[in-house]
């Protein structure tokens, strides 16, 4: 056989295949022949053996004493090692038949290439381990890091923890890794970083550990439970470290490990675990105790997996200086796998010498090697697998993984206190909100997402001195949302009294993006959210919980002081407000939506628009929200998500139609009656027979368009009885920055509409569908008469403000800075200026910016709230705006020969000229605007 690699294939019953990978220099040809003979001798009894036994036996029989000892060792390797270091590692693998590797650094591609190289030269496949408790990012660059254990410990649904285990397992398999040194199942924090623990209660830790283990094992990954080092190594010698009594296995601290053993965990890392032996009355490191490993783990607890120990750690404890002595002792006491030996050659020689002299140690060696080989088979190492580096990083950053991380963050937000039922915030109108950021700048993710629900005054406190004059700043605020960040720890105590004072005066919602052990300092507050960290999207998820976009089901994983206990937490439900996430969370594909960027860029490059906002929402979740380009073609001010746009003809359905739906539902409007019933001035006109349905379906016979502004000028000069250059009591309707219309112009416009011509038609023939602005201008007049209130005021009070659509409305210059508003036109004829903040449509401008067909402004985010309310059949944010049957009536097709609903446009199935995609459902409804 030429070359280094040989694979023997044996076809068994039911087409099962046993693949034995053997690697040796050519001078070991004889041993390969012996393997073949050994396998062939069992070919007739294959049905009595399983594949694992055959593979383990076949490999085991080829190993001599030193080669078996080599299987005990796991060497650390970094893909960033020097060429000399890699060569030294290769030499050790070839010389001592090393059993495994521990990946301690590198990037995914470099790790894959290194492992491919090392696996090729290894006689027995290498078992490769890694510390990846919160993902490969814990040990490797350019890979995903998921939520740390403390956040996972707060999650109530263990299925999510299992899903995380499976995802990490998939990524490990993709990278050629076989064993994860996780979970860490300690419950005694002892001054360590609390984020490394699932919690401080034995059942919580055990449940999460088991769920995580099952997920990893479901992907064929071996699982090795581990313990954390103590804050001070001196604790071990002083006896203050974690201790277990030999005769008390029900000890609180060991409960999670007992449950993992019962669940058949694959391995136990004995380093850092200590117990007190009553017989000797002294503290002994578990990894150095034959009593612990043989008597407790194996016999009393029925642990059948592998025991791992870290040689550098043990060498520190034992102070053994002779080469190989620590490794020998670790083996003698019963450890199966020795991680990071200090002197490989000396360790192999000393262990070899010991087993030759002691039959029991030889039997122990054989048993350990067989277990190691069984573990390798379980990990799939009986079949050679080359690690494919094509698109490797993309595979490790899969959309499924990103989606899972989102779900984990959503599930971890913990409402600790809600004694005043403040959460979720239901009523938005007539309230002023302020966000106080403590320990960070005011421009942060939390504030961005808070502002997607209501306007916020943002205040930042970065030092204790920033609290000066803060009382004056928040004086007019009704609701204070306080975000507490890690950097506030140095001055936190200086502001606690302020927060408690505010809690007695206003609605205060305290959000901790920091260690939950600080909770006890805020005892007495009525509304507290623990979000643990400002990483992993926790700020944006917390903002959504506050306003009911997301539910909260998590509970505290640990106690803080006497008032906050493990398990505290209040479940709150979502109230059908928009939430924000990724496309995969609602069954959409990020890659498909990414094409929107290309389309937007093409539109900007060709001059179709200087910029735009694009928002996509599905199933109540905004999954795509991007702004592109600039406010003008000069490319000076970029479009942002806060840019306010003129909605043009969307006004018809977003404003006027909403009043019609309200009036119809309340019995104030009969759709089948003539408009002249409600507007008697039409009775003696050519519009006397038009019905409400005719107006709403655009088949009233009204002309599509009337140019009205030329009636108010002469020779390009504004007629003084219509316009003035200064706003005053008589000229209050703003048309342009320095142009104001007389209040009576509205009467003139209405008169011109009443006197307008109708479309021609044959006698006794109904009008066909013909889109017209005039119909909705009439509906605006009608609604204001019935409601006895200006349409814009009615909509603001009854619809937009309760929805939280605070940028949706007419005449935005009354409430917003002009820099936030996108200009619409350089008007050379009527207004002779750039139109910005006043409505683009000239007729609506003449009406002071409020008309039935145009005049509404909004951001995409706020317009989506209105759309979501309608998609939810009239319900949003815990409030019912319309009955479902009302939404159904107005969004349904009305006539066989017209595609229109009431106000809404509808698709035409199978027609390329449809206003929608050919794939749109017949239940689709919407509207377009210029």
């Amino acid at each position: 056989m030429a070359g280094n690699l040989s694979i023997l294939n044996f076809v068994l019953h039911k087409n099962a295949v046993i693949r034995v990978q053997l690697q040796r220099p050519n001078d070991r040809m004889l041993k390969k022949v012996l393997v073949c003979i050994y396998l062939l001798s069992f070919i007739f009894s294959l049905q009595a053996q399983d594949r694992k036994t055959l593979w383990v036996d076949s490999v085991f029989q080829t190993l001599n004493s030193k080669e078996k000892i080599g299987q005990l060792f796991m060497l650390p390797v970094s893909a960033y090692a020097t060429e000399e270091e890699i060569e030294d590692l290769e030499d050790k693998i070839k010389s001592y038949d090393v059993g495994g590797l521990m990946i301690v650094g590198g990037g995914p591609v470099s790790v894959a290439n290194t492992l491919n190289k090392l696996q090729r030269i290894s006689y027995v496949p290498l078992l490769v381990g890694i510390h990846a408790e919160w993902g490969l990012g814990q040990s490797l660059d350019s890979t995903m890091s998921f939520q740390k254990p403390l956040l996972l410990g707060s999650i109530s649904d263990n299925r999510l923890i299992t899903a995380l285990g499976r995802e990490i397992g998939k990524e490990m398999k993709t990278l050629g890794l076989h064993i994860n040194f996780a979970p860490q199942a300690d419950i005694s924090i002892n001054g360590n970083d609390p984020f490394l623990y699932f919690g401080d209660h034995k059942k919580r830790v055990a449940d999460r550990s088991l769920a995580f283990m099952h997920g990893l094992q479901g992907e064929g990954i071996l699982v090795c439970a581990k313990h954390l080092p103590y804050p001070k190594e001196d604790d071990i010698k002083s006896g203050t470290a974690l201790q277990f009594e030999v005769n008390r296995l029900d000890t609180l601290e060991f409960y999670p490990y007992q449950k993992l053993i019962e669940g058949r965990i694959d391995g136990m890392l004995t380093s850092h675990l200590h117990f007190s032996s009553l017989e000797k009355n002294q503290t002994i490191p578990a990894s150095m105790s034959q009593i612990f490993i043989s008597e407790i783990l194996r016999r009393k607890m029925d642990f059948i997996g592998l025991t791992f120990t870290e040689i550098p750690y043990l060498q520190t404890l034992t102070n053994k200086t002779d080469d190989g002595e620590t490794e020998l002792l670790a083996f003698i006491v019963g450890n199966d796998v020795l991680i990071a030996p200090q002197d490989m050659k000396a360790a192999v020689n000393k262990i070899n010498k010991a087993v030759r002299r002691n039959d029991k140690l030889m039997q122990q060696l054989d048993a350990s090697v067989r277990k190691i080989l069984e573990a390798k088979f379980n990990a799939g190492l009986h079949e050679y697998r080359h690690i494919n580096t094509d698109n490797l990083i993309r595979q490790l950053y899969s959309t499924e993984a990103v989606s899972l991380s989102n779900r984990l963050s959503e599930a971890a937000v913990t409402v600790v206190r809600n004694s005043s039922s403040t959460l979720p915030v239901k009523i938005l109108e007539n309230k002023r909100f302020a966000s106080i950021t403590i320990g960070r700048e005011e421009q942060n993710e939390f504030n961005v997402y808070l502002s997607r629900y209501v306007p916020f005054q943002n205040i930042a406190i970065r030092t204790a001195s920033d609290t000066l004059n803060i009382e004056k700043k928040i004086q007019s605020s009704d609701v204070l949302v306080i975000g507490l960040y890690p950097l506030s720890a140095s001055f936190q105590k200086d502001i606690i009294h302020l927060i408690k004072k505010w809690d007695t005066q206003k609605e205060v919602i305290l959000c901790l993006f920091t260690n939950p052990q600080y909770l006890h300092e805020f005892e007495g507050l009525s509304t507290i959210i623990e979000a643990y960290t400002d990483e992993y999207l926790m700020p944006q998820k917390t903002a959504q919980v506050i306003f009911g976009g997301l539910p909260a089901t998590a509970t505290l994983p640990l106690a803080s002081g006497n008032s906050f206990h493990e398990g505290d937490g209040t479940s709150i439900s979502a109230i059908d407000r928009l939430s924000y996430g990724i496309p995969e969370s609602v069954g959409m594909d990020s890659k498909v939506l990414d094409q929107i960027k290309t389309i937007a860029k093409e539109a900007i490059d060709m001059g179709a628009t200087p910029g735009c906002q694009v928002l996509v929402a599905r199933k109540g979740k905004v999954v795509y929200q991007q702004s592109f380009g600039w406010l003008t073609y000069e490319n000076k001010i970029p479009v942002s998500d806060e840019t306010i746009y003129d909605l043009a003809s969307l006004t018809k359905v977003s404003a006027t139609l909403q009043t019609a739906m309200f009036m119809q539902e309340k019995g104030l409007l009969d759709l089948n009656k003539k408009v002249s019933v409600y507007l008697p001035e039409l009775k003696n006109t050519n519009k006397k027979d038009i019905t409400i349905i005719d107006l709403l379906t655009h088949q009233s016979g009204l002309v599509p368009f009337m140019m009205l502004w030329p009636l108010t000028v002469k020779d390009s000069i504004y007629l003084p009885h219509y316009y003035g250059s200064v706003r005053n009591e008589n000229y209050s309707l703003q048309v342009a920055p320095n142009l104001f219309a007389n209040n009576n112009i509205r009467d003139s416009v209405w008169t011109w509409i009443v006197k307008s011509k109708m479309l021609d038609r044959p006698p006794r023939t109904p009008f066909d569908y013909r889109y017209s602005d005039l119909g909705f201008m009439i509906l605006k007049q009608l609604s204001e008469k019935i409601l006895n209130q200006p349409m814009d005021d009615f909509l603001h009070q009854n619809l937009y403000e309760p929805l939280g659509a605070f940028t949706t409305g007419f005449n935005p210059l009354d409430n917003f800075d002009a820099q936030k508003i996108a200009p619409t036109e350089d008007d050379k004829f009527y207004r002779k200026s750039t139109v910005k903040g006043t409505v683009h449509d000239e007729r609506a401008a003449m009406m002071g910016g409020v008309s039935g067909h145009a005049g509404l402004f909004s951001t995409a985010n706020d317009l989506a709230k209105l759309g979501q309310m309608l998609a939810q059949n009239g319900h949003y944010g815990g409030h019912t705006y319309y009955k479902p049957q009302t939404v159904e009536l107005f969004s349904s097709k009305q006539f066989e020969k017209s595609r229109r609903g009431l106000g809404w446009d509808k698709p035409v199935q199978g027609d390329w000229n449809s206003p929608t995609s050919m794939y749109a459902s017949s239940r689709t409804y919407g509207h377009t605007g210029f």
Side-chain angles (χ1 to χ4, degrees):
M1 294 183 180
N4 289 328
L5 176 64
S6 173
I7 298 179
L8 306 178
N9 293 303
F10 294 88
V11 181
L12 309 181
H13 66 294
K14 297 183 181 178
N15 295 320
V17 176
I18 302 296
R19 303 181 67 201
V20 182
Q21 176 184 310
L22 300 175
Q23 279 184 287
R24 283 296 190 194
N26 290 336
D27 59 357
R28 296 188 179 179
M29 182 66 66
L30 179 60
K31 186 161 286 188
K32 293 186 177 181
V33 174
L34 291 176
V35 173
C36 295
I37 294 172
Y38 174 79
L39 288 173
L40 289 171
S41 69
F42 282 86
I43 198 69
F44 297 107
S45 59
L46 286 176
Q47 293 191 20
Q49 301 185 52
D50 60 23
R51 299 176 66 202
K52 183 196 296 186
T53 302
L54 176 61
W55 188 83
V56 170
D57 287 346
S58 66
V59 176
F60 183 83
Q61 293 298 325
T62 69
L63 302 176
N64 60 33
S65 177
K66 283 192 174 183
E67 292 164 354
K68 291 175 184 176
I69 294 169
Q71 288 297 299
L72 304 179
F73 293 100
M74 181 172 275
L75 303 182
V77 57
S78 169
Y80 292 150
T82 64
E83 187 175 338
E84 291 76 12
E85 289 171 332
I86 294 295
E87 289 176 356
D88 179 64
L89 184 62
E90 292 176 7
D91 184 63
K92 288 178 180 177
I93 291 172
K94 293 176 182 177
S95 301
Y96 302 111
D97 295 286
V98 172
L101 302 172
M102 174 72 80
I103 301 297
V104 295
V109 176
S110 60
V111 167
N113 289 332
T114 300
L115 290 180
N116 280 332
K117 183 177 182 180
L118 297 180
Q119 288 286 18
R120 280 196 299 269
I121 67 170
S122 180
Y123 172 56
V124 179
L126 295 160
L127 185 68
V128 186
I130 192 171
H131 290 274
E133 195 160 6
W134 54 88
L136 298 180
Q138 182 178 349
S139 298
L140 302 180
D141 300 328
S142 304
T143 52
M144 278 197 68
S145 289
F146 292 92
Q147 287 73 2
K148 289 187 177 178
L150 191 65
L151 277 75
L152 302 179
S154 71
I155 295 174
S156 300
D157 188 353
N158 280 336
R159 291 174 297 182
L160 283 172
I161 315 299
T162 300
L164 175 60
R166 293 197 75 103
E167 176 56 39
I168 294 174
K170 289 177 184 176
E171 294 177 14
M172 289 180 63
K173 286 175 67 176
T174 300
L175 202 51
L177 308 174
H178 314 108
I179 182 166
N180 193 344
F181 286 86
Q184 185 281 116
D186 292 337
I187 64 174
S188 181
I189 295 176
N190 285 331
N192 271 330
D193 181 356
F195 288 91
L196 303 180
Y197 295 76
F198 284 122
D200 63 4
H201 187 274
K202 66 176 187 178
K203 191 174 186 306
R204 180 182 296 265
V205 175
D207 288 347
R208 273 52 170 194
S209 297
L210 281 166
F212 188 71
M213 178 185 78
H214 291 151
L216 286 165
Q217 290 178 334
E219 292 297 322
I221 297 298
L222 305 178
V223 181
C224 180
K226 67 181 179 185
H227 312 268
L228 284 179
Y230 293 98
K232 297 178 181 178
E233 292 296 344
D234 290 343
D235 291 344
I236 298 167
K237 297 178 182 179
S238 66
T240 59
L242 186 60
Q243 299 180 4
F244 304 122
E245 294 183 5
V246 174
N247 297 318
R248 279 197 60 230
L249 298 184
D250 61 344
T251 179
L252 177 70
E253 289 83 358
F254 206 71
Y255 177 85
Y257 294 98
Q258 184 177 2
K259 292 301 178 183
L260 287 170
I261 291 170
E262 292 172 3
R264 288 296 183 252
I265 194 165
D266 304 289
M268 290 278 289
L269 182 64
T270 59
S271 305
H272 312 296
L273 176 64
H274 311 281
F275 76 98
S276 57
S277 169
L278 295 181
E279 297 88 0
K280 298 181 180 181
N281 196 28
Q282 62 179 333
T283 300
I284 304 173
S287 52
M288 301 299 287
S289 169
Q290 196 165 16
I291 294 176
F292 178 81
I293 294 174
S294 300
E295 296 298 323
I296 295 181
L297 278 183
R298 302 219 183 276
R299 293 185 184 178
K300 291 190 176 182
M301 304 196 72
D302 193 29
F303 175 63
I304 62 174
L306 294 168
T307 53
F308 295 76
T309 192
E310 298 162 314
I311 297 303
Y313 167 77
L314 296 184
Q315 193 155 2
T316 301
L317 295 180
T318 60
N319 290 321
K320 290 186 177 293
T321 58
D322 291 346
D323 294 339
E325 284 296 319
T326 304
E327 291 87 344
L328 173 61
L329 180 57
F331 168 70
I332 289 174
V333 299
N335 289 293
D336 297 308
V337 181
L338 315 179
I339 301 172
Q342 301 300 285
D343 188 324
M344 188 76 183
K345 181 178 180 180
V348 171
N349 288 336
K350 288 195 175 183
I351 295 175
N352 187 46
K353 187 175 181 180
V355 299
R356 286 180 180 275
R357 292 177 177 179
N358 189 322
D359 289 342
K360 287 187 177 180
L361 286 180
M362 179 62 79
Q363 292 172 12
Q364 178 185 321
L365 174 64
D366 288 349
S368 291
V369 173
R370 283 188 175 276
K371 284 200 299 180
I372 292 169
L373 293 175
E374 288 175 359
K376 290 185 176 184
F377 184 93
N378 293 339
L381 282 167
H382 58 293
E383 295 181 337
Y384 175 74
R385 293 176 185 169
H386 178 80
I387 307 167
N388 188 352
T389 58
D390 292 343
N391 297 316
L392 182 58
I393 294 180
R394 181 179 295 180
Q395 292 181 61
L396 299 177
Y397 272 97
S398 68
T399 53
E400 293 79 10
V402 175
S403 178
L404 175 60
S405 182
N406 266 263
R407 291 162 57 201
L408 291 168
S409 290
E410 291 176 357
V413 179
T414 307
V415 177
V416 182
R417 292 282 187 274
N418 193 28
S419 54
S420 300
S421 299
T422 301
L423 301 176
V425 177
K426 294 180 180 178
I427 299 175
L428 306 181
E429 62 264 39
N430 301 318
K431 284 186 177 182
R432 294 185 179 183
F433 294 81
S435 171
I436 302 178
T437 300
I438 305 176
R440 273 195 80 174
E441 66 285 349
E442 65 182 51
Q443 296 298 322
N444 59 69
E445 185 182 33
F446 188 43
N447 285 343
V448 167
Y449 278 84
L450 287 174
S451 67
R452 291 186 178 181
Y453 290 96
V454 289
F456 266 86
Q457 175 192 8
N458 295 322
I459 303 168
I461 299 176
R462 289 174 289 270
T463 65
S465 62
D466 290 336
T467 59
L468 297 175
N469 299 321
I470 194 170
E471 298 277 0
K472 186 176 181 180
K473 293 179 181 178
I474 65 171
Q475 187 174 4
S476 62
S477 300
D478 304 299
V479 181
L480 300 182
V481 179
I482 302 173
L484 195 69
Y485 291 84
L487 291 179
S488 66
S490 61
F491 59 91
Q492 186 169 300
K493 292 185 179 180
D494 297 330
I495 59 174
I496 289 174
H497 71 283
L498 277 176
I499 297 174
K500 290 184 176 181
K501 175 186 174 183
W502 297 333
D503 192 53
T504 64
Q505 301 170 343
K506 305 174 183 290
E507 287 186 56
V508 171
I509 303 169
L510 177 64
C511 304
L512 278 74
F513 301 104
T514 186
N515 190 338
Q517 291 176 318
Y518 293 134
L519 273 170
H520 68 275
E521 297 182 357
F522 300 96
E523 182 180 351
L525 294 185
S526 57
T527 309
I528 304 176
I529 298 177
E530 178 57 64
Y532 307 98
T533 177
D534 57 356
E535 299 178 325
Y536 312 115
L537 309 178
M538 291 302 289
Q540 65 167 263
K541 303 304 181 185
T542 302
Q544 295 176 63
V545 166
I546 289 172
F547 288 101
L550 292 174
T553 58
T555 56
L556 270 182
L558 50 76
S560 175
N562 297 321
S563 300
F564 297 93
H565 308 100
E566 180 274 337
D568 281 358
T570 300
S571 293
I572 64 171
S573 301
I575 53 173
D576 295 327
R577 282 200 180 107
L578 281 173
S579 62
Y580 300 82
I582 62 173
E584 284 68 24
S585 63
V586 292
M588 301 181 78
D589 190 335
S590 297
K591 296 184 181 65
V592 173
L593 293 185
D594 281 345
Q595 298 176 47
I596 293 173
K597 182 177 182 180
T598 303
I599 298 171
K601 185 177 185 301
E602 181 181 353
I604 293 169
D605 290 345
M606 67 187 295
T609 178
C612 60
Q613 293 173 354
V614 181
L615 183 145
V616 178
R618 188 177 191 227
K619 297 181 180 179
K621 191 179 291 289
V622 176
V623 296
Y624 187 94
Q625 186 173 9
Q626 294 290 329
S627 296
F628 304 96
W630 312 86
L631 296 188
T632 67
Y633 290 110
E634 285 76 25
N635 297 358
K636 292 181 179 179
I637 303 175
V639 176
S640 73
D641 292 347
E642 291 73 44
T643 300
I644 299 170
Y645 276 91
D646 185 333
L647 300 185
S649 286
L650 293 187
T651 304
K652 295 181 176 70
V653 292
S654 303
T656 315
L657 182 65
Q658 302 304 311
T659 64
M661 292 171 67
F662 175 87
M663 292 185 294
Q664 188 275 337
E665 183 173 293
K666 301 301 182 183
L668 302 175
L669 186 68
D670 187 335
L671 302 181
N672 294 302
K673 285 187 176 180
K674 297 177 180 180
V675 183
S676 56
V677 172
Y678 302 98
L679 296 173
E681 60 266 39
L682 298 179
K683 285 185 177 180
N684 297 318
T685 71
N686 54 2
K687 301 168 182 63
K688 64 180 185 299
D689 294 324
I690 298 174
T691 65
I692 305 297
I693 285 185
D694 289 338
L695 292 179
L696 291 171
T697 56
H698 293 278
Q699 53 186 45
S700 61
L702 292 167
V703 295
F705 180 80
M706 286 180 63
M707 183 78 79
L708 298 178
W709 72 265
L711 302 176
T712 63
V713 300
K714 185 175 182 181
D715 298 329
S716 300
I717 303 298
Y718 300 116
L719 295 175
H721 58 279
Y722 286 121
Y723 302 104
S725 59
V726 178
R727 190 174 222 164
N728 56 39
E729 185 177 343
N730 294 322
Y731 294 87
S732 65
L733 307 179
Q734 186 170 16
V735 177
N738 298 306
L739 184 64
F740 301 90
N742 187 287
N743 300 341
N744 295 326
I745 199 172
R746 289 172 171 168
D747 295 333
S748 299
V749 170
W750 177 240
T751 299
W752 293 330
I753 291 173
V754 170
K755 293 181 177 180
S756 65
K757 295 180 179 180
M758 299 286 286
L759 296 172
D760 294 330
R761 63 168 177 172
R764 294 182 296 279
T765 302
F767 287 106
D768 292 331
Y769 162 61
R770 191 76 177 271
Y771 185 85
S772 173
D773 287 345
L774 271 61
F776 276 78
M777 296 174 79
I778 292 173
L779 283 170
K780 185 255 187 184
Q781 188 82 2
L782 179 152
S783 67
E784 291 189 336
K785 181 173 183 179
I786 293 177
L787 297 172
N788 194 31
Q789 186 180 16
M791 185 178 72
D792 53 331
D793 290 346
F794 172 82
L795 290 168
H796 176 76
Q797 296 167 11
N798 294 279
L799 186 61
Y800 303 144
E801 189 176 14
L803 279 173
F806 59 93
T807 64
T808 306
F810 298 84
N811 292 316
L813 289 175
D814 292 344
N815 301 293
F816 300 97
D817 190 287
Q819 295 302 311
K820 288 188 173 183
I821 306 169
T824 55
E825 182 187 20
D826 185 7
D827 188 346
K828 303 291 187 182
F829 304 102
Y830 175 37
R831 282 155 288 192
K832 304 170 185 175
S833 64
T834 298
V835 179
K836 182 176 184 178
T838 55
V839 60
H840 169 268
D841 184 273
E842 296 91 344
R843 293 156 300 168
M846 294 168 64
M847 303 281 283
V850 183
S851 185
H853 71 294
L856 198 65
F857 286 73
S858 183
T859 61
N861 185 69
D862 283 346
L863 185 61
K865 297 171 185 176
L866 175 62
Q868 189 61 37
M869 179 270 288
L870 295 168
Q872 292 170 177
N873 290 318
H875 189 270
Y876 187 86
H879 179 73
T880 298
Y881 294 86
Y882 305 110
K883 297 175 182 177
Q885 51 266 39
T886 300
V887 178
E888 178 69 22
L889 170 65
F890 278 78
S891 61
S892 297
K893 185 177 176 180
Q894 299 296 310
F895 301 104
E896 182 64 31
K897 293 185 178 180
S898 172
R899 70 173 190 253
R900 304 291 301 202
L902 294 175
W904 296 105
D905 205 353
K906 300 279 291 177
V908 180
Q909 301 298 118
D911 188 342
W912 68 270
N913 202 31
S914 172
T916 68
S917 162
M918 296 281 284
Y919 300 102
S921 160
S922 61
R923 294 179 59 81
T924 303
Y925 60 97
H927 208 281
T928 54
F930 172 71

